Amino acid sequence: MKTLFTANLYIVLLMLGFDSYAQVRLGVKAGVNASNVVFESKSIEFDPLPGYQVGLQADIILSPKFSIQPALLYVTKGFSSELEFRNAQGTLTGNFWGSFRPNYLELPVLFLYKVKVGNSCKFFGGLGPYAAAGIGGKSNFHLATGSSRKILFGPKNNRSPDAYNRMDYGIAAAVGVEIRKISLTVNYDHGLTEVGPNSSIVGAGAYYNRSLALSAGYWFGKAR
């Protein structure tokens, strides 16, 4: 899987080297997301967790209709859970709330198809791979008393039972609209790598990241 992260970097560097053949624009983007995880066993469900993403992006324009769009983003992901405890009479006796928010440095590389509408508007859509590296985060628990601890990361193999898998790989998809130098995009990340710690809930199996985001971007260069 590490080869996918390296391949994404090579794609970005290689295409940036072809500036004489393709127009390259740089930009910034930021947005909000709702993330969750999906368990292999399908027996457990958690609630989405709101978060955000921010970073840099590039638009490597190959033709009026096709471009490659890599980005380097700081992304928050994770999930939350809220439980109520009741006695035999149905009276509420307590509750539990927890959130798990790992933070990633993510590199998606999207292959986009664009359709021009009018003089200054384009609709676009596409997909591509993404690779992400865990760089921090916190888990919070509130039962009788609240507690918080840092999320630990480690390699896929031979990591401590409470450490998350540092690397996350998957498929990214996007649809959106670009008006002059402003873009509005809906992004979806579909993780393909088991990311949870080895001490995850017994019987639930591996779990994978999912994220839906709405972002706005600004381009510093002018498109063809």
Side-chain angles (χ1 to χ4, degrees):
M1 286 294 187
K2 287 185 179 180
T3 56
L4 180 58
F5 187 80
T6 305
N8 279 11
L9 283 174
Y10 282 159
I11 290 173
V12 175
L13 295 175
L14 181 62
M15 295 309 301
L16 287 175
F18 284 129
D19 191 20
S20 58
Y21 299 94
Q23 181 185 358
V24 179
R25 298 185 298 167
L26 299 178
V28 294
K29 68 182 300 184
V32 294
N33 61 32
S35 61
N36 208 335
V37 295
V38 173
F39 281 87
E40 221 170 34
S41 67
K42 308 294 184 182
S43 61
I44 297 177
E45 293 184 1
F46 286 119
D47 299 319
L49 183 69
Y52 66 93
Q53 55 181 294
V54 61
L56 305 174
Q57 60 181 347
D59 191 30
I60 305 163
I61 304 169
L62 305 178
S63 75
K65 291 187 176 182
F66 293 96
S67 71
I68 297 176
Q69 226 172 73
L72 185 61
L73 306 172
Y74 178 84
V75 181
T76 65
K77 294 188 178 182
F79 58 92
S80 64
S81 179
E82 186 172 357
L83 302 174
E84 291 185 348
F85 302 98
R86 297 180 181 272
N87 59 22
Q89 290 73 38
T91 304
L92 181 67
T93 59
N95 55 54
F96 165 86
W97 181 85
S99 69
F100 301 81
R101 190 186 294 277
N103 304 325
Y104 292 91
L105 193 62
E106 184 171 306
L107 177 65
V109 179
L110 295 170
F111 299 83
L112 298 182
Y113 177 77
K114 300 181 179 182
V115 177
K116 191 171 184 179
V117 180
N119 294 326
S120 58
C121 179
K122 289 183 179 179
F123 290 96
F124 59 85
L127 51 80
Y130 81 80
I135 57 173
K138 285 187 177 181
S139 58
N140 295 286
F141 304 90
H142 300 273
L143 190 53
T145 59
S147 64
S148 176
R149 64 180 181 179
K150 291 183 178 180
I151 292 178
L152 303 176
F153 292 96
K156 181 178 182 180
N157 300 314
N158 302 319
R159 68 181 188 271
S160 65
D162 294 327
Y164 282 68
N165 186 0
R166 182 176 299 279
M167 301 306 299
D168 179 28
Y169 305 92
I171 302 297
V175 294
V177 60
E178 181 182 322
I179 303 174
R180 295 185 175 87
K181 294 185 177 183
I182 303 295
S183 63
L184 297 174
T185 310
V186 176
N187 293 90
Y188 174 68
D189 282 0
H190 187 93
L192 300 175
T193 305
E194 176 187 355
V195 294
N198 295 329
S199 60
S200 296
I201 301 170
V202 177
Y207 61 81
Y208 306 83
N209 279 324
R210 301 286 189 267
S211 182
L212 183 66
L214 174 64
S215 62
Y218 179 82
W219 297 108
F220 296 109
K222 184 179 180 180
R224 287 174 179 168

